[in-house]
Amino acid sequence: MTTASTRPPEGRYGRSSDERADRKLKVVGAVLAVALLGLVGWFGYHYVAQSKISAEVISFEPGKESVRVHLEVRKDAGTEGYCTVRSQAEDGAEVGRADFRFDGDDTRIDQVVTLRTTAPGTTAELLGCHAG
């Protein structure tokens, strides 16, 4: 007694549709993985390589109409740019924001700047620095 097979003989009629679908999924997955890796690399390069100015708030003195902020700025020689500083009131409302420009050939600048406020400020926060 013989049993009849419902599957065609192996290799006789080409690949099955499942094998073709698996191959397509692998190709699409590989292309998406390469694109994602390239995108992450591009953002990483621009974050590290394009950051020509960085700064930090050393100290600040709040007042009724202004906040004196001591900034330490590090930048490439000859690079011009600005840093944005803001101050908030005790309730968290923003009471002052200003951009302070830094240019010249110095690579490290210690400077005390005055940020005018609309109400007594209790903080001084560096929002970021940008070249240009």
Side-chain angles (χ1 to χ4, degrees):
M1 196 161 157
T2 63
T3 58
S5 174
T6 58
R7 295 182 53 203
E10 290 289 327
R12 182 177 245 183
Y13 299 107
R15 294 184 176 175
S16 71
S17 61
D18 288 343
E19 289 175 346
R20 276 188 238 117
D22 287 347
R23 185 165 189 261
K24 286 181 184 178
L25 284 175
K26 287 179 185 177
V27 169
V28 168
V31 168
L32 289 176
V34 167
L36 180 64
L37 186 62
L39 189 64
V40 168
W42 185 77
F43 279 118
Y45 169 76
H46 282 283
Y47 179 76
V48 173
Q50 301 300 323
S51 295
K52 295 182 179 182
I53 297 179
S54 65
E56 65 180 310
V57 174
I58 303 299
S59 64
F60 66 93
E61 296 175 22
K64 289 185 179 182
E65 296 177 356
S66 65
V67 176
R68 290 176 47 88
V69 183
H70 180 190
L71 289 176
E72 180 180 305
V73 180
R74 291 169 303 283
K75 64 182 189 67
D76 293 342
T79 301
E80 296 180 358
Y82 63 94
C83 293
T84 304
V85 179
R86 80 170 176 176
S87 181
Q88 293 177 306
E90 196 169 315
D91 64 356
E94 185 176 289
V95 294
R97 178 186 293 236
D99 293 333
F100 298 99
R101 291 210 56 81
F102 300 98
D103 35 359
D105 290 332
D106 294 338
T107 58
R108 184 176 170 276
I109 301 170
D110 264 335
Q111 188 171 352
V112 177
V113 296
T114 302
L115 173 63
R116 294 184 182 267
T117 58
T118 57
T122 59
T123 65
E125 179 182 7
L126 178 67
L127 296 180
C129 296
H130 306 280

